[in-house]
Each structure stands twice: as C-alpha cells, then as structure tokens.
Amino acid sequence: MKHFPTALPDRWTRRAFLQAGMAAGALPFAPRLLRAGEPAAKPALPTAKTFLFLDWFHVKKGDLAPALDPARISAEGRKMLEGMARDSGKNYDQSGHGLRPVDVPSGIRIQQEVAQKSAPWLRADQPWERGVAGATVLFDEGRFRCWYTARLVGQPADLTVDRGRAMEVSGTALAYAESDDGLLWKKPALGILSHGGSRENNLVTGFHNGGSVFRDDHGPAEERYKLFQFDALPTDEVEKNAPNQKRYGLYGVTSPDGYSWTRHDRPLLRYFSDTFNIGAWDPLLQKYVGYFRHHLSGRTISRAETEDFWHWPEAQPLLYAGPLDKPADDYYTNGYTIYPGQPSLRLLFSAIYHRDSDAVDVRLGVSRDGRAYSWISYDPIIQLGQAGDWDRGSIYASTNLVMLPDGRLALPYTAYNTTHNEAWFRTFYGDYDVQSGVGWATWPDGRLAGIVADEAGRFTTNAARFDGTQIQINARTLPEGSIEMELHERGKVLAGFSFADAIPFSGDATWANCRWRGQTDLTALRGKNLELSLRLRHAKIFAGRFV
C-alpha cells in the first residue's frame, strides 16, 4: 500500500506536477510574493459555499439497503412495493436477497497537512526587549495588527509558583506592531508607556500577562478590544493560608482602539490559569467563549461560555491527555481559532508538552459546534525544527488563523531553540543562548487536512443547495492518480453528470473546475440540492465548493 505524501514526491518535479495539472484543466496555485514595501490588498475570504474535508462532517455516511429476491416476495409485499412506487417514487432493488451498500464511503482516511514554517518575523530587536512571545495577529482597520508579550530589559520577572508550575507576574508588557502584508513589520513609537525614562517605544500596557487580544464588535465601542490578565486575587477575598492555586485568577482588560487599555478590578475567573488564555465572541453560539488552563491528570484545556463578558461561570475541563496519548504528555496551550470565513469550524492548535523529551509541538483539533472537539491526528501539525534551528526546542501556536495576501492560511507561533525546562538555564547562567521569536505556520488555501485514497476509494458528500455556476475541488494526485466526479440529486445520478461523463482530474490544483463532457454551464442546476460523489485513486482531496 502506498502512503500518500504531504509534499511532492521526489520522482515528480514541481514543473511536471504543474504541467499535469494544466493538462487536466486545473488551475495550479502559485502564490505571488509581495515586493518589499508593496501595499497589500485585503486578504480574500471565501465567497463560495465551501466544504472543507478536515473531518467526516461533509461526508455522507451511507447505508446498507435491503435488496429483494423477486421470487420470494409475497402478494401482500408486492402490493406494498407497488404502492410505495406510486405514492413516493420509492423503488427497491430486486436483484436478489441481501444488503447492498448505498453511498457507503470506502478506502479513504483523513490526513492532515504538516505546516510550512517561515523565518521569524518578530524578534526582540528593540533596546527594551529581552524576549517576545504570544503574538495575536488580526487583519484590522485595513492592515495586519499584532499584539505580543515583550519581556522587558532591566525589569526582573517576578514569579509565582504553584506545585512546581511557575508563572511570571511582572517584567512583561503588551507591545504592538503592524504590517501591510504580514511579512514586513514595524514597531511604531506610540508614546504611551515609559521605559528607561523614555516613551519612544511600542509598549501599550503593563496590564497584561497570559492572554490574547480579540476584537469584540458585539460589545460597546469603548470595549472593542479585550484580553485576559493573570494576576493575584484581591487579598480580602483570599483565605489567609490559601495555597497559591487559590490566590490567582483572570481579570478583563479592554481598549477602544488597541492602544489605550483599562484593567477592570473585578476578577472574571478564580483559577490558577498559568498559560496563554484565549477569549472570543462566537457568532453562531452568540456567546463569549474562553479557553483556559486547567489541571486534571496534568495540564489540561478548559472552556467556559457566557452571554456577558463580565460574568463567567467556572471553566470546565475540555480536553486532557487520554489513553491514546503518551503517559508523559500534557496539553499545554489551547490555540483556539475560527477558520477564516467558516464560523462553524472551530479549531484548536494545541501545544503538547512531552515530559519525556521536554519538547513542545502543536496538534490540531476540530469542532463543528464549538463545544466538542476531536483530534485530527495525534501527530504534530506544526513540527519542531532541526538541530541548530531557532524553533528546534518548543513551539506554541497563537490564536487567530488569518489569510495572507498571497492566499496562504497563516497562524502565528512562538518558538524557542530551547526545550521547555532548558529555558530556565538562562535564569541561572546569564549567558545561556536562548533564541526566540514569532513566525508563521502556513498552508495553501483550504489545505489543513484532506481525504486520502492510498489506492482506490470513494465517498459522497451530504446534499447542499447549489446556487453557483461551477463546482470546484481543491486536490492533489500522484502521477498515476485521478479523481472522478458524479452529481446526484436525492440519491439519483443526474443525466450528463455521471462518472462515465466525467473528465477525470489529475495533478495539483488549489481550485479546479469539475468537468463533464458536453457540460460547460451548470446554471441549469441552480436551486437543486446536490450530492457530489467522488472516486479517488492515489489522490487527496482537501475541499470542494460551489462557486
């Protein structure tokens, strides 16, 4: 059995791959790199009805339907069959006794695409910075805006420790950067906070530790931007001999513009959430959602939701290391995000801490309702670098998957050349080489994961209303591979759109039109609830869409 690759095989060059795609009528994806200083157009979000195959959500499960032996049908049974055919058009297979598969998927599996990684585009390169981490990037107000944690020069990082877990509670500030294209960034002198006697820096608030920024268009304008801050609870609300776990919690910090921030004094959650805590507005649930640190059989991801950002219930454990994990694994950060243009598709790019190697890499989980999550794979989707690389030791994904102007999906991640506990050597040695920065993990449009047939496989999509002019697929095949398409309505093949009429796809195309002989205009199909049946051979399909 062949293993379908996540990159081009050595025996097939990029040029040959593109030639094969163009011969099949495909539209190869070739991202254009922006020139330095060239202004970026607003990243294009999907305008079509898109079906991403990260899981089985869009795949018809099928059935084993009864087939009848005509010689064994009773007189009463014959009357029932005739009545059903007359009244509802239902006709049973009468080819012989048994159960026949109808639209049952076979020979396929889900396979993620390992991210490509950029060089770090954010480094500690200012006189006040001794480290950078935890970047949040939004395409906002016509540009890419980034808020990140700056570890400050000349300010000690005071720690609070609970059962061996340490959290910095001082020595950091929230800093700001911006970019026209997501590649070249500037750190403007904002004149907001003083450091070293000067306000010529990009620092925006010291009320920051352990949270990401999100834009809240649902809330009041003066609270347009929000984040969580990890800090001590009011002393008069904590028992005298309480352990540290019960002395800390999360506060809300808000801003009207992303520059001027206000810390609100009422604690939102009372728990030692010593990690990168993420908040967001879920447009489908019509609630605020939060993803936090918890502790259950090691580090755990917890979740809470509320209609009022200023009143949160206690967060409940969502995911923790289970029987399929290694016994030394912890779920470190959550990396919550929504897929661009797909509000029902929630993702967790979770950092997994491996205590047996002290390394941290990133795994991908998916949810269609925002409350129940499944791992796409237990293998990392963002892998560690090689020996000597800036990201060889530990990687932590941030929130907010975005689209770059060249069409790539991109997620910011913080990385270190040191493993999780190795980084502590800098505290005691002073001259220990610790490199860190923020880079992009990237994927071509729609290609976080896909459905693979290593040999031959098939499946049918769930019915969806067609209101477009074309049907397209996002797919890749081996040289000997192909994808054939057939259209169904209510389980029946549409005339002219059968497998026999299909022009098979072969090659590599981010988006290519599905084609049938003699069919160039699909507008006659508008208004129909269509199912797309696909036969794959040595192929991987990432998505389909009605354009």
Side-chain angles (χ1 to χ4, degrees), residues 20-261:
M22 288 185 281
L27 302 175
F29 173 70
R32 183 178 69 87
L33 297 179
L34 294 171
R35 295 185 296 274
E38 180 182 354
K42 181 178 181 178
L45 295 179
T47 57
K49 186 180 291 183
T50 304
F51 313 98
L52 295 165
F53 300 131
L54 281 74
D55 55 9
W56 303 121
F57 183 76
H58 293 296
V59 176
K60 191 174 181 181
K61 292 185 177 297
D63 287 294
L64 290 180
L68 305 175
D69 181 352
R72 298 169 61 181
I73 301 173
S74 66
E76 183 178 352
R78 183 70 59 188
K79 289 181 180 180
M80 291 177 62
L81 289 170
E82 292 171 355
M84 293 172 68
R86 180 183 62 251
D87 298 337
S88 63
K90 174 69 173 178
N91 291 291
Y92 275 88
D93 182 347
Q94 297 186 31
S95 61
H97 176 78
L99 294 171
R100 305 284 191 268
V102 178
D103 291 330
V104 175
S106 63
I108 58 174
R109 59 187 173 89
I110 300 286
Q111 184 189 61
Q112 67 183 12
E113 290 279 293
V114 174
Q116 298 294 313
K117 297 181 298 179
S118 75
W121 45 263
L122 190 70
R123 290 274 204 181
D125 56 6
Q126 300 300 314
W128 52 88
E129 295 176 339
R130 65 182 180 90
V132 298
T136 300
V137 176
L138 304 176
F139 189 82
D140 182 46
E141 306 293 340
R143 62 198 185 281
F144 290 95
R145 306 181 73 192
C146 172
W147 294 264
Y148 65 95
T149 299
R151 291 186 170 88
L152 300 177
V153 171
Q155 293 192 17
D158 295 328
L159 304 177
T160 181
V161 180
D162 175 66
R163 291 175 291 184
R165 298 185 303 270
M167 182 70 176
E168 293 182 359
V169 292
S170 68
T172 65
L174 187 67
Y176 175 82
E178 59 185 30
S179 171
D180 290 327
D181 58 11
L183 303 176
L184 299 176
W185 292 80
K186 56 185 178 182
K187 299 176 180 178
L190 300 174
I192 298 173
L193 291 187
S194 176
H195 183 274
S198 172
R199 293 180 181 269
E200 291 295 306
N201 58 61
N202 66 329
L203 306 177
V204 293
T205 181
F207 293 129
H208 165 68
N209 200 313
S212 66
V213 174
F214 74 98
R215 180 181 171 114
D216 178 19
D217 290 310
H218 176 77
E222 62 270 20
E223 300 175 359
R224 183 66 68 229
Y225 301 87
K226 293 182 171 69
L227 60 84
F228 293 111
Q229 181 200 11
F230 177 87
D231 206 350
L233 298 174
T235 55
D236 59 352
E237 299 180 17
V238 178
E239 294 182 7
K240 182 177 180 180
N241 296 319
N244 259 5
Q245 182 188 23
K246 296 185 178 181
R247 292 181 175 272
Y248 287 84
L250 298 178
Y251 294 80
V253 186
T254 62
S255 170
D257 54 14
Y259 302 116
S260 301
W261 292 84

Side-chain angles (χ1 to χ4, degrees), residues 329-392:
D329 286 350
D330 275 1
Y331 293 178
Y332 205 89
T333 60
N334 63 79
Y336 169 81
T337 184
I338 290 179
Y339 192 98
Q342 298 267 347
S344 66
L345 186 53
R346 292 80 154 190
L347 304 170
L348 295 181
F349 286 90
S350 302
I352 309 300
Y353 172 41
H354 308 284
R355 292 172 180 256
D356 54 354
S357 64
D358 202 44
V360 185
D361 51 30
V362 176
R363 183 188 297 176
L364 177 58
V366 60
S367 174
R368 295 290 178 167
D369 68 353
R371 293 178 173 132
Y373 284 83
S374 299
W375 298 119
I376 290 179
S377 172
Y378 280 77
D379 296 324
I381 192 168
I382 307 178
Q383 297 177 340
L384 292 171
Q386 302 299 313
D389 290 346
W390 71 283
D391 60 355
R392 67 92 181 165

Side-chain angles (χ1 to χ4, degrees), residues 427-510:
T427 302
F428 304 107
Y429 292 170
D431 60 349
Y432 198 75
D433 178 32
V434 177
Q435 300 176 31
S436 66
V438 176
W440 288 122
T442 66
W443 300 262
D445 183 20
R447 294 194 173 189
L448 290 179
I451 294 176
V452 170
D454 293 297
E455 298 290 341
R458 65 179 298 164
F459 70 95
T460 300
T461 64
N462 293 318
R465 181 183 172 88
F466 179 69
D467 290 313
T469 59
Q470 293 291 338
I471 298 173
Q472 296 182 335
I473 59 172
N474 184 335
R476 180 174 68 221
T477 75
L478 293 179
E480 68 274 25
S482 65
I483 299 176
E484 298 173 308
M485 297 74 69
E486 183 173 84
L487 290 182
H488 298 178
E489 183 184 23
R490 297 181 180 178
K492 295 182 179 180
V493 179
L494 289 176
F497 296 94
S498 68
F499 284 126
D501 300 308
I503 300 174
F505 166 83
S506 181
D508 185 356
T510 306

